[in-house]
């Protein structure tokens, strides 16, 4: 289940709200997910909700990732099917996955670079901005790895179509 403190979506729906649906409501939700997986993508009208712009105190806007509740629930439901992918393809330098964060990875690498530099060595590194990150994926390689990890092709199709959505 979702934590009470997890963020609500931009349109106000909290993932825990789905727990209040009746059995017939859950059946309708299941039918919606079946349609999404049959088509291979979520309704495009929801894509803009992925990157709302928040006002900065000193002016301007800051984009944040705030997934819509329907997507967050789908991801949670499909999580067991994706668990093996991290086992097969996990990398220590990735800032996503179970018990990881981009900030933690950044600080870990900064400390390692500092220690390496203190020994008189030269270090280097980079951080890849997510703006065009997903467009750089070789979907053929990713599909091969997904098959190797036992991930159903429909899950891949829905996920890839989300990545291709407007940013």
């Amino acid at each position: 289940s979702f934590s009470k403190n997890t963020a609500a979506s931009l349109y106000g729906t909290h993932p825990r709200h789905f727990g209040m649906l009746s059995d017939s409501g859950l059946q309708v939700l299941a039918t919606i997910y079946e349609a999404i997986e049959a088509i291979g993508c979520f309704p495009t009208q929801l894509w803009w909700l992925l990157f709302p712009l928040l006002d900065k105190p000193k002016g301007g806007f800051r984009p944040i990732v705030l997934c819509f509740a329907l997507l967050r629930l789908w991801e949670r439901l499909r999580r067991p099917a994706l668990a093996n992918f991290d086992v097969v393809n996990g990398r220590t330098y990735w800032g996503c996955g179970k018990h990881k964060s981009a900030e933690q990875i950044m600080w870990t690498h900064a400390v390692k670079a500092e220690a390496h530099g203190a020994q008189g060595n030269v270090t280097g590194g980079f951080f890849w901005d997510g703006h065009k990150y997903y467009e750089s994926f070789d979907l053929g390689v990713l599909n091969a790895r997904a098959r190797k990890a036992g991930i159903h092709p429909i899950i891949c199709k829905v996920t890839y179509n989300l990545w291709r959505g407007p940013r």
Side-chain angles (χ1 to χ4, degrees):
S1 73
F2 289 90
S3 164
K4 289 179 183 178
N5 297 327
T6 194
S9 65
L10 188 61
Y11 54 91
T13 305
H14 192 282
R16 292 173 66 100
H17 288 153
F18 293 113
M20 295 187 285
L21 291 174
S22 65
D23 287 347
S24 59
L26 290 172
Q27 184 58 48
V28 169
L29 182 62
T31 302
I32 291 170
Y33 283 132
E34 287 173 355
I36 287 167
E37 290 185 350
I39 295 167
C41 69
F42 279 82
T44 55
Q45 294 85 347
L46 297 175
W47 288 359
W48 72 272
L49 298 174
L50 291 174
F51 292 91
L53 299 174
L54 300 182
D55 289 325
K56 288 183 176 181
K58 296 183 179 181
F61 297 99
R62 178 173 48 100
I64 63 163
V65 177
L66 184 62
C67 294
F68 47 93
L70 196 64
L71 170 62
R72 291 174 65 194
L73 180 60
W74 180 79
E75 290 172 336
R76 180 68 58 95
L77 293 170
R78 289 303 190 190
R79 183 183 290 171
L82 300 172
N84 195 40
F85 188 85
D86 282 342
V87 172
V88 174
N89 298 288
R91 303 291 186 269
T92 59
Y93 48 82
W94 282 355
C96 59
K98 192 172 187 176
H99 305 297
K100 288 187 175 183
S101 73
E103 184 179 13
Q104 176 220 352
I105 298 300
M106 189 252 337
W107 283 109
T108 300
H109 284 282
V111 168
K112 287 180 179 180
E114 191 71 29
H116 197 68
Q119 296 173 354
N121 298 308
V122 176
T123 65
F126 70 96
F127 294 99
W128 202 342
D129 186 352
H131 181 68
K132 295 285 185 183
Y133 177 72
Y134 294 117
E135 285 95 20
S136 70
F137 285 7
D138 182 333
L139 296 183
V141 171
L142 194 55
N143 272 323
R145 290 181 178 176
R147 279 193 303 278
K148 183 178 177 183
I151 297 173
H152 195 282
I154 277 296
I155 295 173
C156 294
K157 184 176 181 180
V158 172
T159 304
Y160 299 161
N161 283 329
L162 278 170
W163 291 345
R164 292 181 180 133
R167 305 239 183 288

Coordinates of all heavy atoms in Angstrom, one line a residue, residues 1-2 9 11 13-19 21 26 28-43 46-47 50 67-83 146 151-163:
S1 N 0.8 -1.2 0.0 CA 0.0 0.0 0.0 C 0.9 1.2 0.0 O 2.1 1.2 0.3 CB -0.9 0.0 1.2 OG -0.3 0.3 2.4
F2 N 0.3 2.4 -0.3 CA 1.0 3.6 -0.4 C 1.0 4.3 1.0 O 0.1 4.2 1.7 CB 0.4 4.5 -1.4 CG 0.6 4.1 -2.8 CD1 -0.3 3.3 -3.5 CD2 1.7 4.6 -3.5 CE1 -0.1 2.9 -4.8 CE2 1.9 4.2 -4.9 CZ 1.0 3.3 -5.5
S9 N -1.5 13.3 -6.6 CA -1.2 13.7 -8.0 C -1.6 15.2 -8.2 O -2.3 15.8 -7.3 CB -2.0 12.8 -8.9 OG -3.4 13.0 -8.8
Y11 N -3.9 16.4 -10.0 CA -5.3 16.7 -10.0 C -6.0 16.3 -8.7 O -7.2 16.2 -8.6 CB -6.0 16.0 -11.2 CG -5.6 14.5 -11.3 CD1 -6.5 13.5 -10.7 CD2 -4.5 14.1 -12.0 CE1 -6.2 12.2 -10.9 CE2 -4.2 12.7 -12.2 CZ -5.1 11.8 -11.6 OH -4.8 10.5 -11.7
T13 N -5.8 13.4 -6.8 CA -6.0 12.0 -6.4 C -4.8 11.4 -5.8 O -3.7 11.5 -6.3 CB -6.4 11.2 -7.7 OG1 -7.5 11.8 -8.3 CG2 -6.8 9.8 -7.3
H14 N -5.0 10.8 -4.6 CA -3.9 10.2 -3.9 C -4.0 8.7 -4.2 O -5.1 8.1 -4.4 CB -4.1 10.4 -2.4 CG -2.9 9.9 -1.6 ND1 -2.7 8.6 -1.3 CD2 -2.0 10.7 -1.0 CE1 -1.6 8.6 -0.5 NE2 -1.1 9.8 -0.3
P15 N -2.9 8.0 -4.4 CA -3.0 6.6 -4.7 C -3.8 5.7 -3.8 O -4.4 4.7 -4.1 CB -1.5 6.1 -4.7 CG -0.8 7.3 -5.0 CD -1.5 8.4 -4.4
R16 N -3.9 6.2 -2.5 CA -4.7 5.4 -1.5 C -6.2 5.6 -1.8 O -7.0 4.8 -1.3 CB -4.4 5.9 -0.1 CG -2.9 5.5 0.3 CD -2.6 6.2 1.6 NE -3.3 5.6 2.7 CZ -2.9 4.7 3.6 NH1 -1.7 4.2 3.4 NH2 -3.7 4.3 4.6
H17 N -6.6 6.6 -2.6 CA -8.0 6.7 -2.9 C -8.6 5.5 -3.6 O -9.8 5.2 -3.5 CB -8.3 8.0 -3.7 CG -8.1 9.2 -3.0 ND1 -7.7 10.4 -3.5 CD2 -8.2 9.5 -1.6 CE1 -7.6 11.4 -2.6 NE2 -7.9 10.8 -1.5
F18 N -7.8 4.8 -4.4 CA -8.2 3.6 -5.1 C -8.7 2.5 -4.2 O -9.5 1.7 -4.5 CB -7.2 3.1 -6.1 CG -6.9 4.0 -7.2 CD1 -5.6 4.7 -7.3 CD2 -7.8 4.3 -8.2 CE1 -5.3 5.5 -8.3 CE2 -7.5 5.2 -9.2 CZ -6.3 5.8 -9.3
G19 N -8.2 2.5 -2.9 CA -8.6 1.6 -1.9 C -10.0 1.7 -1.5 O -10.6 0.9 -0.8
L21 N -12.5 2.2 -3.5 CA -13.4 1.7 -4.6 C -14.2 0.5 -4.1 O -13.6 -0.4 -3.5 CB -12.7 1.5 -5.9 CG -12.1 2.7 -6.6 CD1 -11.3 2.2 -7.8 CD2 -13.2 3.6 -7.0
L26 N -13.6 -1.4 -8.6 CA -12.3 -2.1 -8.9 C -12.3 -2.9 -10.2 O -11.3 -2.9 -10.9 CB -11.9 -3.0 -7.7 CG -11.5 -2.3 -6.4 CD1 -11.3 -3.3 -5.3 CD2 -10.2 -1.5 -6.6
V28 N -14.1 -2.0 -12.8 CA -14.0 -1.0 -13.9 C -12.5 -0.5 -14.0 O -12.0 -0.4 -15.1 CB -14.9 0.3 -13.5 CG1 -14.6 1.4 -14.5 CG2 -16.3 -0.1 -13.6
L29 N -11.8 -0.3 -12.9 CA -10.4 0.1 -12.9 C -9.6 -1.0 -13.6 O -8.7 -0.7 -14.4 CB -9.9 0.3 -11.5 CG -8.5 0.8 -11.3 CD1 -8.2 2.1 -12.0 CD2 -8.1 0.9 -9.8
A30 N -9.9 -2.3 -13.3 CA -9.1 -3.4 -13.9 C -9.4 -3.3 -15.5 O -8.4 -3.6 -16.2 CB -9.6 -4.7 -13.4
T31 N -10.6 -3.0 -15.9 CA -10.9 -2.9 -17.3 C -10.1 -1.8 -17.9 O -9.7 -1.9 -19.1 CB -12.4 -2.7 -17.5 OG1 -13.1 -3.9 -16.9 CG2 -12.8 -2.7 -18.9
I32 N -10.0 -0.7 -17.2 CA -9.2 0.5 -17.7 C -7.8 0.0 -17.9 O -7.2 0.3 -19.0 CB -9.3 1.7 -16.8 CG1 -10.7 2.3 -16.8 CG2 -8.3 2.7 -17.1 CD1 -11.0 3.3 -15.7
Y33 N -7.2 -0.7 -17.0 CA -5.8 -1.1 -17.1 C -5.7 -2.1 -18.2 O -4.7 -2.1 -18.9 CB -5.3 -1.7 -15.8 CG -4.9 -0.7 -14.8 CD1 -5.4 -0.7 -13.4 CD2 -4.1 0.4 -15.1 CE1 -5.0 0.2 -12.5 CE2 -3.8 1.4 -14.2 CZ -4.2 1.3 -12.9 OH -3.9 2.2 -11.9
E34 N -6.7 -3.0 -18.4 CA -6.6 -3.9 -19.5 C -6.6 -3.2 -20.9 O -5.9 -3.6 -21.8 CB -7.8 -4.9 -19.5 CG -7.7 -5.9 -18.4 CD -9.0 -6.8 -18.2 OE1 -10.0 -6.5 -18.9 OE2 -8.9 -7.7 -17.4
A35 N -7.4 -2.1 -21.0 CA -7.5 -1.3 -22.2 C -6.1 -0.6 -22.4 O -5.6 -0.6 -23.5 CB -8.6 -0.3 -22.1
I36 N -5.6 -0.1 -21.3 CA -4.2 0.6 -21.5 C -3.2 -0.4 -21.9 O -2.4 0.0 -22.8 CB -3.9 1.2 -20.1 CG1 -4.7 2.5 -19.8 CG2 -2.4 1.6 -20.0 CD1 -4.6 3.0 -18.4
E37 N -3.2 -1.6 -21.4 CA -2.2 -2.5 -21.8 C -2.5 -3.1 -23.2 O -1.5 -3.4 -23.9 CB -2.1 -3.7 -20.8 CG -1.4 -3.2 -19.5 CD -1.2 -4.3 -18.4 OE1 -1.7 -5.4 -18.6 OE2 -0.5 -4.0 -17.4
A38 N -3.7 -3.2 -23.6 CA -4.1 -3.6 -24.9 C -3.6 -2.6 -26.0 O -3.1 -3.0 -27.0 CB -5.6 -3.9 -25.1
I39 N -3.8 -1.3 -25.7 CA -3.4 -0.3 -26.6 C -1.9 0.0 -26.5 O -1.3 0.3 -27.5 CB -4.2 1.0 -26.3 CG1 -5.7 0.8 -26.5 CG2 -3.7 2.2 -27.0 CD1 -6.5 1.9 -25.9
G40 N -1.4 -0.2 -25.3 CA 0.1 0.0 -25.1 C 0.4 1.4 -24.6 O 1.6 1.7 -24.6
C41 N -0.5 2.2 -24.2 CA -0.2 3.5 -23.6 C -1.3 4.0 -22.8 O -2.5 3.7 -22.9 CB 0.2 4.5 -24.7 SG -1.1 5.1 -25.7
F42 N -1.0 4.9 -21.9 CA -1.9 5.7 -21.1 C -2.5 6.8 -21.9 O -1.9 7.2 -22.9 CB -1.3 6.3 -19.8 CG -1.1 5.3 -18.7 CD1 0.0 4.4 -18.7 CD2 -2.0 5.2 -17.7 CE1 0.1 3.5 -17.7 CE2 -1.9 4.3 -16.6 CZ -0.8 3.4 -16.6
P43 N -3.7 7.3 -21.6 CA -4.3 8.4 -22.4 C -3.3 9.6 -22.4 O -2.8 10.0 -21.4 CB -5.6 8.7 -21.6 CG -5.9 7.5 -20.8 CD -4.6 6.8 -20.5
L46 N -3.2 12.6 -20.0 CA -2.6 12.5 -18.7 C -1.1 12.8 -18.7 O -0.5 13.1 -17.7 CB -2.8 11.2 -18.1 CG -4.3 10.8 -17.8 CD1 -4.4 9.3 -17.3 CD2 -4.9 11.7 -16.8
W47 N -0.5 12.8 -19.9 CA 1.0 13.0 -20.0 C 1.5 14.3 -19.4 O 2.5 14.3 -18.8 CB 1.4 12.8 -21.4 CG 1.4 11.4 -21.9 CD1 1.0 10.3 -21.2 CD2 1.8 11.0 -23.2 NE1 1.1 9.2 -22.0 CE2 1.5 9.6 -23.3 CE3 2.2 11.6 -24.3 CZ2 1.8 8.8 -24.4 CZ3 2.5 10.8 -25.5 CH2 2.3 9.5 -25.5
L50 N 2.9 14.8 -15.9 CA 4.1 14.2 -15.4 C 5.1 15.3 -15.0 O 6.0 15.0 -14.1 CB 4.8 13.4 -16.5 CG 4.1 12.1 -16.9 CD1 4.7 11.4 -18.1 CD2 4.1 11.1 -15.7
C67 N 3.9 11.9 -11.0 CA 3.1 11.0 -11.8 C 1.7 11.0 -11.3 O 1.4 11.2 -10.2 CB 3.7 9.6 -11.6 SG 5.3 9.4 -12.3
F68 N 0.8 10.8 -12.3 CA -0.6 10.7 -12.0 C -0.9 9.4 -11.3 O -0.2 8.4 -11.5 CB -1.5 10.9 -13.3 CG -1.0 10.1 -14.5 CD1 -1.6 8.9 -14.7 CD2 -0.1 10.6 -15.3 CE1 -1.2 8.1 -15.8 CE2 0.3 9.9 -16.4 CZ -0.2 8.6 -16.7
A69 N -1.9 9.5 -10.4 CA -2.2 8.3 -9.5 C -2.5 7.0 -10.3 O -2.1 6.0 -9.8 CB -3.4 8.7 -8.6
L70 N -3.1 7.1 -11.4 CA -3.4 5.9 -12.2 C -2.2 5.2 -12.6 O -2.1 4.0 -12.6 CB -4.3 6.4 -13.4 CG -5.0 5.3 -14.2 CD1 -6.1 4.6 -13.3 CD2 -5.6 5.8 -15.5
L71 N -1.1 6.0 -13.0 CA 0.2 5.5 -13.4 C 0.9 4.9 -12.2 O 1.4 3.8 -12.2 CB 1.0 6.5 -14.0 CG 2.5 6.2 -14.3 CD1 2.6 5.0 -15.2 CD2 3.3 7.3 -14.8
R72 N 0.9 5.6 -11.1 CA 1.6 5.1 -9.9 C 1.0 3.8 -9.4 O 1.7 2.9 -9.0 CB 1.5 6.2 -8.8 CG 2.3 7.4 -9.1 CD 2.2 8.5 -8.2 NE 2.7 8.2 -6.9 CZ 2.5 8.9 -5.8 NH1 1.7 9.9 -5.8 NH2 3.0 8.5 -4.6
L73 N -0.3 3.7 -9.5 CA -1.0 2.4 -9.1 C -0.6 1.3 -10.0 O -0.2 0.2 -9.6 CB -2.5 2.5 -9.0 CG -3.2 1.3 -8.6 CD1 -2.8 0.8 -7.2 CD2 -4.7 1.5 -8.6
W74 N -0.6 1.6 -11.3 CA -0.2 0.6 -12.3 C 1.2 0.1 -12.1 O 1.5 -1.1 -12.1 CB -0.4 1.1 -13.8 CG 0.0 0.2 -14.8 CD1 -0.7 -0.9 -15.3 CD2 1.3 0.1 -15.6 NE1 0.0 -1.6 -16.3 CE2 1.2 -1.0 -16.5 CE3 2.4 0.9 -15.5 CZ2 2.2 -1.3 -17.3 CZ3 3.4 0.6 -16.4 CH2 3.4 -0.5 -17.3
E75 N 2.1 1.1 -11.8 CA 3.5 0.7 -11.6 C 3.6 -0.2 -10.3 O 4.4 -1.1 -10.3 CB 4.4 2.0 -11.4 CG 4.6 2.8 -12.6 CD 5.2 4.1 -12.4 OE1 5.2 4.7 -11.3 OE2 5.9 4.6 -13.3
R76 N 2.9 0.1 -9.3 CA 2.9 -0.7 -8.1 C 2.4 -2.1 -8.4 O 2.9 -3.1 -7.9 CB 2.1 0.0 -7.0 CG 2.0 -0.7 -5.7 CD 3.4 -0.8 -4.9 NE 3.9 0.5 -4.7 CZ 3.8 1.2 -3.5 NH1 3.1 0.7 -2.6 NH2 4.3 2.4 -3.4
L77 N 1.3 -2.2 -9.2 CA 0.7 -3.5 -9.5 C 1.7 -4.3 -10.3 O 1.7 -5.5 -10.2 CB -0.6 -3.3 -10.2 CG -1.8 -2.7 -9.4 CD1 -2.9 -2.4 -10.3 CD2 -2.2 -3.7 -8.3
R78 N 2.4 -3.7 -11.2 CA 3.4 -4.4 -12.1 C 4.8 -4.6 -11.5 O 5.6 -5.2 -12.1 CB 3.5 -3.6 -13.4 CG 2.2 -3.8 -14.3 CD 1.9 -5.2 -14.5 NE 0.8 -5.4 -15.5 CZ 0.3 -6.6 -15.7 NH1 0.6 -7.6 -14.9 NH2 -0.7 -6.7 -16.6
R79 N 5.0 -4.0 -10.3 CA 6.3 -4.1 -9.7 C 6.9 -5.5 -9.6 O 8.0 -5.8 -9.9 CB 6.3 -3.4 -8.3 CG 7.7 -3.4 -7.7 CD 7.7 -2.9 -6.3 NE 7.5 -1.5 -6.4 CZ 7.2 -0.7 -5.3 NH1 7.2 -1.2 -4.1 NH2 7.0 0.6 -5.5
P80 N 6.0 -6.5 -9.2 CA 6.6 -7.9 -9.1 C 7.1 -8.4 -10.5 O 8.1 -9.1 -10.5 CB 5.4 -8.7 -8.7 CG 4.5 -7.8 -7.9 CD 4.7 -6.4 -8.7
A81 N 6.5 -8.0 -11.6 CA 7.0 -8.4 -12.9 C 8.3 -7.8 -13.3 O 9.0 -8.3 -14.1 CB 5.9 -8.1 -13.9
L82 N 8.6 -6.7 -12.6 CA 9.9 -5.9 -12.9 C 11.0 -6.2 -12.0 O 12.1 -5.8 -12.2 CB 9.6 -4.4 -13.0 CG 8.5 -4.0 -14.0 CD1 8.2 -2.5 -13.8 CD2 9.0 -4.2 -15.4
A83 N 10.7 -6.9 -10.9 CA 11.7 -7.1 -9.8 C 13.0 -7.7 -10.3 O 14.1 -7.3 -10.0 CB 11.2 -7.9 -8.7
A146 N 15.1 -7.0 -21.1 CA 13.8 -7.2 -20.5 C 13.3 -8.6 -20.7 O 12.8 -9.3 -19.8 CB 12.7 -6.2 -21.1
I151 N 10.4 -10.0 -18.4 CA 9.4 -9.0 -18.4 C 8.5 -9.1 -19.6 O 9.0 -9.2 -20.7 CB 10.0 -7.6 -18.3 CG1 10.8 -7.5 -17.0 CG2 9.0 -6.5 -18.4 CD1 11.7 -6.2 -16.9
H152 N 7.2 -9.1 -19.4 CA 6.2 -9.2 -20.4 C 6.3 -8.0 -21.4 O 6.5 -6.9 -21.0 CB 4.8 -9.2 -19.8 CG 3.8 -9.7 -20.8 ND1 3.3 -8.9 -21.8 CD2 3.2 -10.9 -20.9 CE1 2.4 -9.6 -22.5 NE2 2.4 -10.9 -22.0
P153 N 6.3 -8.3 -22.7 CA 6.4 -7.2 -23.7 C 5.4 -6.1 -23.5 O 5.7 -4.9 -23.9 CB 6.2 -7.9 -25.0 CG 6.5 -9.4 -24.8 CD 6.2 -9.6 -23.3
I154 N 4.2 -6.4 -23.1 CA 3.2 -5.3 -22.9 C 3.7 -4.3 -21.9 O 3.5 -3.1 -22.0 CB 1.8 -5.9 -22.5 CG1 1.1 -6.4 -23.7 CG2 1.0 -5.0 -21.7 CD1 0.7 -5.3 -24.7
I155 N 4.3 -4.7 -20.8 CA 4.8 -3.8 -19.8 C 5.8 -2.9 -20.4 O 5.8 -1.7 -20.2 CB 5.3 -4.6 -18.5 CG1 4.2 -5.3 -17.8 CG2 6.0 -3.6 -17.6 CD1 4.6 -6.2 -16.7
C156 N 6.7 -3.4 -21.2 CA 7.7 -2.6 -21.9 C 7.0 -1.6 -22.8 O 7.4 -0.5 -22.8 CB 8.6 -3.5 -22.7 SG 9.6 -4.6 -21.7
K157 N 6.0 -2.0 -23.6 CA 5.4 -1.1 -24.5 C 4.8 0.0 -23.8 O 4.9 1.2 -24.3 CB 4.4 -1.9 -25.4 CG 3.7 -1.1 -26.4 CD 2.7 -1.9 -27.2 CE 2.1 -1.1 -28.3 NZ 1.2 -1.9 -29.1
V158 N 4.0 -0.2 -22.8 CA 3.4 0.9 -22.0 C 4.4 1.8 -21.5 O 4.3 3.0 -21.6 CB 2.5 0.3 -20.9 CG1 2.0 1.4 -20.0 CG2 1.3 -0.5 -21.5
T159 N 5.5 1.3 -20.9 CA 6.6 2.1 -20.3 C 7.3 2.9 -21.4 O 7.5 4.1 -21.2 CB 7.6 1.2 -19.6 OG1 6.9 0.4 -18.6 CG2 8.7 2.0 -18.9
Y160 N 7.6 2.3 -22.5 CA 8.3 3.1 -23.6 C 7.4 4.2 -24.1 O 7.9 5.3 -24.4 CB 8.7 2.2 -24.8 CG 9.6 1.0 -24.4 CD1 9.7 -0.1 -25.3 CD2 10.4 1.0 -23.3 CE1 10.5 -1.1 -25.0 CE2 11.2 -0.1 -23.0 CZ 11.3 -1.1 -23.8 OH 12.1 -2.2 -23.5
N161 N 6.1 3.9 -24.2 CA 5.2 5.0 -24.7 C 5.1 6.1 -23.7 O 5.0 7.3 -24.1 CB 3.9 4.4 -25.1 CG 3.9 3.7 -26.4 OD1 4.6 4.1 -27.3 ND2 3.1 2.7 -26.5
L162 N 5.2 5.9 -22.4 CA 5.3 6.9 -21.4 C 6.5 7.8 -21.6 O 6.5 9.0 -21.5 CB 5.2 6.4 -20.0 CG 3.8 6.0 -19.5 CD1 3.9 5.2 -18.2 CD2 3.0 7.3 -19.3
W163 N 7.7 7.1 -21.8 CA 8.9 7.8 -22.0 C 8.9 8.7 -23.2 O 9.5 9.8 -23.2 CB 10.1 6.8 -22.2 CG 10.4 6.0 -20.9 CD1 10.0 6.2 -19.7 CD2 11.2 4.8 -20.9 NE1 10.5 5.3 -18.8 CE2 11.3 4.4 -19.6 CE3 11.9 4.1 -21.9 CZ2 12.0 3.3 -19.2 CZ3 12.6 3.0 -21.5 CH2 12.6 2.6 -20.1

